mmCIF file of all heavy atoms in Angstrom:
data_model
loop_
_atom_site.group_PDB
_atom_site.id
_atom_site.type_symbol
_atom_site.label_atom_id
_atom_site.label_comp_id
_atom_site.label_asym_id
_atom_site.label_seq_id
_atom_site.Cartn_x
_atom_site.Cartn_y
_atom_site.Cartn_z
ATOM 1 N N LYS A 110 -20.413 29.391 -13.640
ATOM 2 C CA LYS A 110 -21.344 30.447 -13.225
ATOM 3 C C LYS A 110 -20.769 31.302 -12.102
ATOM 4 O O LYS A 110 -20.910 32.519 -12.107
ATOM 5 C CB LYS A 110 -22.665 29.809 -12.773
ATOM 6 C CG LYS A 110 -23.700 30.793 -12.341
ATOM 7 C CD LYS A 110 -24.990 30.094 -11.962
ATOM 8 C CE LYS A 110 -25.993 31.127 -11.469
ATOM 9 N NZ LYS A 110 -27.253 30.470 -11.074
ATOM 10 N N ALA A 111 -20.129 30.657 -11.132
ATOM 11 C CA ALA A 111 -19.584 31.398 -9.991
ATOM 12 C C ALA A 111 -18.569 30.521 -9.252
ATOM 13 O O ALA A 111 -18.600 29.288 -9.365
ATOM 14 C CB ALA A 111 -20.706 31.784 -9.039
ATOM 15 N N LEU A 112 -17.707 31.169 -8.494
ATOM 16 C CA LEU A 112 -16.817 30.496 -7.555
ATOM 17 C C LEU A 112 -17.345 30.787 -6.162
ATOM 18 O O LEU A 112 -18.343 31.483 -5.994
ATOM 19 C CB LEU A 112 -15.374 30.952 -7.763
ATOM 20 C CG LEU A 112 -14.797 30.589 -9.150
ATOM 21 C CD1 LEU A 112 -13.444 31.226 -9.366
ATOM 22 C CD2 LEU A 112 -14.729 29.092 -9.324
ATOM 23 N N ILE A 113 -16.671 30.302 -5.140
ATOM 24 C CA ILE A 113 -17.201 30.374 -3.773
ATOM 25 C C ILE A 113 -17.350 31.800 -3.253
ATOM 26 O O ILE A 113 -18.130 32.060 -2.353
ATOM 27 C CB ILE A 113 -16.347 29.496 -2.822
ATOM 28 C CG1 ILE A 113 -17.143 29.146 -1.581
ATOM 29 C CG2 ILE A 113 -15.010 30.155 -2.523
ATOM 30 C CD1 ILE A 113 -16.651 27.925 -0.866
ATOM 31 N N ASP A 114 -16.612 32.739 -3.819
ATOM 32 C CA ASP A 114 -16.711 34.165 -3.458
ATOM 33 C C ASP A 114 -16.808 34.939 -4.767
ATOM 34 O O ASP A 114 -16.019 34.691 -5.685
ATOM 35 C CB ASP A 114 -15.463 34.583 -2.666
ATOM 36 C CG ASP A 114 -15.512 36.025 -2.166
ATOM 37 O OD1 ASP A 114 -15.743 36.945 -2.990
ATOM 38 O OD2 ASP A 114 -15.282 36.230 -0.959
ATOM 39 N N ALA A 115 -17.746 35.846 -4.860
ATOM 40 C CA ALA A 115 -17.987 36.578 -6.116
ATOM 41 C C ALA A 115 -16.761 37.378 -6.569
ATOM 42 O O ALA A 115 -16.651 37.710 -7.755
ATOM 43 C CB ALA A 115 -19.196 37.506 -5.962
ATOM 44 N N ARG A 116 -15.825 37.675 -5.666
ATOM 45 C CA ARG A 116 -14.631 38.421 -6.055
ATOM 46 C C ARG A 116 -13.587 37.561 -6.717
ATOM 47 O O ARG A 116 -12.633 38.067 -7.314
ATOM 48 C CB ARG A 116 -14.023 39.103 -4.807
ATOM 49 C CG ARG A 116 -14.956 40.108 -4.144
ATOM 50 C CD ARG A 116 -14.390 40.580 -2.822
ATOM 51 N NE ARG A 116 -14.341 39.459 -1.874
ATOM 52 C CZ ARG A 116 -13.674 39.458 -0.726
ATOM 53 N NH1 ARG A 116 -13.028 40.537 -0.341
ATOM 54 N NH2 ARG A 116 -13.713 38.396 0.055
ATOM 55 N N LEU A 117 -13.764 36.242 -6.638
ATOM 56 C CA LEU A 117 -12.814 35.312 -7.249
ATOM 57 C C LEU A 117 -13.171 35.114 -8.716
ATOM 58 O O LEU A 117 -14.319 34.869 -9.061
ATOM 59 C CB LEU A 117 -12.835 33.969 -6.509
ATOM 60 C CG LEU A 117 -12.340 34.037 -5.078
ATOM 61 C CD1 LEU A 117 -12.633 32.742 -4.360
ATOM 62 C CD2 LEU A 117 -10.853 34.373 -5.032
ATOM 63 N N LEU A 118 -12.167 35.225 -9.576
ATOM 64 C CA LEU A 118 -12.373 35.181 -11.014
ATOM 65 C C LEU A 118 -11.816 33.907 -11.661
ATOM 66 O O LEU A 118 -12.190 33.586 -12.787
ATOM 67 C CB LEU A 118 -11.696 36.404 -11.667
ATOM 68 C CG LEU A 118 -12.121 37.755 -11.074
ATOM 69 C CD1 LEU A 118 -11.277 38.885 -11.682
ATOM 70 C CD2 LEU A 118 -13.602 38.000 -11.280
ATOM 71 N N VAL A 119 -10.944 33.208 -10.969
ATOM 72 C CA VAL A 119 -10.287 32.024 -11.536
ATOM 73 C C VAL A 119 -9.936 31.031 -10.437
ATOM 74 O O VAL A 119 -9.612 31.413 -9.311
ATOM 75 C CB VAL A 119 -9.014 32.433 -12.338
ATOM 76 C CG1 VAL A 119 -8.005 33.140 -11.448
ATOM 77 C CG2 VAL A 119 -8.381 31.256 -13.052
ATOM 78 N N GLU A 120 -10.042 29.747 -10.787
ATOM 79 C CA GLU A 120 -9.650 28.651 -9.883
ATOM 80 C C GLU A 120 -8.946 27.616 -10.758
ATOM 81 O O GLU A 120 -9.424 27.320 -11.857
ATOM 82 C CB GLU A 120 -10.877 28.052 -9.202
ATOM 83 C CG GLU A 120 -10.551 26.962 -8.227
ATOM 84 C CD GLU A 120 -11.719 26.581 -7.325
ATOM 85 O OE1 GLU A 120 -12.537 27.452 -6.994
ATOM 86 O OE2 GLU A 120 -11.797 25.399 -6.954
ATOM 87 N N ILE A 121 -7.845 27.068 -10.258
ATOM 88 C CA ILE A 121 -7.071 26.111 -11.056
ATOM 89 C C ILE A 121 -6.765 24.877 -10.213
ATOM 90 O O ILE A 121 -6.405 24.988 -9.040
ATOM 91 C CB ILE A 121 -5.751 26.740 -11.560
ATOM 92 C CG1 ILE A 121 -6.057 27.987 -12.416
ATOM 93 C CG2 ILE A 121 -4.930 25.715 -12.363
ATOM 94 C CD1 ILE A 121 -4.812 28.741 -12.878
#
Side-chain angles (χ1 to χ4, degrees):
K110 180 178 178 181
L112 296 173
I113 201 158
D114 184 306
R116 298 171 295 167
L117 295 169
L118 307 174
V119 60
E120 182 168 327
I121 302 176

